[in-house]
């Protein structure tokens, strides 16, 4: 039981309870291998909380942590049980969607965005409205991890540059 608890701790982001970056990358590698064998689609979304630095500067880092936890809860509630959400770094999150073509992946990412739009996150400093920007891509056959994440990252930054609070594919 102790070994299982240690393994869980090593794979989990301590703040959000989501998979951590290392665990997410391992899951993505497994999905890339599976899609190569089965020729089923897999898509990813790279999501970033909009204006998160402003939240930390205005309300403090404890409230920023509450926002990260609140977003993680919304993310978990709006994805499928076989999707993997991980905290990729800071306020950036990676969503891995196995057996999912691009159009369906965009719907899932937009469901998360809509859920955030419809309800602010409760914090000790009151309710705070947050949004995300996201880049969504379907993995190409033979594509490596760095390349697919780079494509999603470029779309994420395009979404940020063009107004934030949107999902680009």
């Amino acid at each position: 039981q102790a070994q299982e608890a240690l393994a869980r701790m090593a794979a989990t982001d301590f703040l959000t309870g989501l998979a951590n970056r290392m665990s997410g990358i391992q899951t993505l590698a497994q999905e890339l291998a599976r899609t190569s064998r089965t020729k089923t689609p897999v898509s990813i979304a790279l999501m970033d909380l909009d204006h998160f630095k402003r939240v930390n500067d205005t309300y403090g880092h404890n409230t920023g942590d509450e926002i990260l936890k609140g977003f993680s809860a919304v993310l978990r509630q709006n994805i499928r049980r076989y999707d993997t959400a991980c905290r990729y770094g800071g306020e950036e999150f990676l969503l891995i969607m196995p057996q999912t073509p691009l159009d369906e992946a965009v719907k899932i990412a937009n469901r998360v965005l809509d859920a955030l739009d419809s309800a602010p996150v409760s914090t000790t400093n009151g309710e705070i409205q947050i949004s995300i920007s996201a880049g969504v891509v379907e993995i190409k056959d033979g594509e490596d991890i760095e390349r697919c994440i780079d494509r999603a990252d470029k779309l994420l930054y395009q979404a940020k540059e063009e107004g934030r609070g949107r999902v680009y594919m």
Side-chain angles (χ1 to χ4, degrees):
Q1 288 177 342
Q3 290 285 8
E4 288 175 14
L6 284 173
R8 230 181 355 267
M9 286 173 52
T12 304
D13 177 69
F14 73 97
L15 182 64
T16 63
L18 299 175
N20 63 23
R21 183 180 181 137
M22 180 184 71
S23 179
I25 295 297
Q26 288 173 342
T27 299
L28 182 54
Q30 292 168 347
E31 291 303 328
L32 289 177
R34 182 187 330 228
T35 199
S36 180
R37 282 190 323 272
T38 63
K39 305 301 182 209
T40 56
V42 61
S43 295
I44 63 168
L46 200 56
M47 303 175 171
D48 192 77
L49 295 176
D50 294 327
H51 304 294
F52 186 70
K53 183 180 181 332
R54 187 181 306 159
V55 170
N56 277 336
D57 291 348
T58 303
Y59 301 102
H61 290 276
N62 288 337
T63 299
D65 287 351
E66 291 177 90
I67 293 290
L68 292 171
K69 290 176 192 176
F71 170 71
S72 298
V74 169
L75 186 56
R76 272 193 295 280
Q77 292 163 1
N78 287 281
I79 62 175
R80 303 160 306 179
R81 64 175 179 74
Y82 55 87
D83 294 333
T84 300
C86 79
R87 185 171 178 201
Y88 195 67
E91 69 273 12
E92 201 166 55
F93 296 81
L94 176 64
L95 178 57
I96 303 159
M97 298 166 278
Q99 301 174 17
T100 308
L102 182 60
D103 60 336
E104 185 64 27
V106 169
K107 287 178 188 173
I108 294 166
N110 274 311
R111 189 167 58 225
V112 173
L113 179 63
D114 292 344
L116 291 172
D117 284 346
S118 67
V121 175
S122 293
T123 72
T124 53
N125 281 305
E127 293 191 334
I128 299 174
Q129 189 68 51
I130 62 168
S131 69
I132 57 164
S133 297
V136 183
V137 299
E138 183 176 327
I139 310 297
K140 297 176 181 173
D141 192 29
E143 187 171 34
D144 66 19
I145 290 172
E146 292 80 18
R147 175 73 182 122
C148 65
I149 290 176
D150 186 55
R151 286 194 304 121
D153 194 44
K154 282 181 173 55
L155 289 167
L156 165 64
Y157 278 92
Q158 184 181 354
K160 283 191 167 295
E161 287 174 8
E162 294 182 17
R164 301 177 195 264
R166 58 195 71 216
V167 174
Y168 274 22
M169 57 181 230

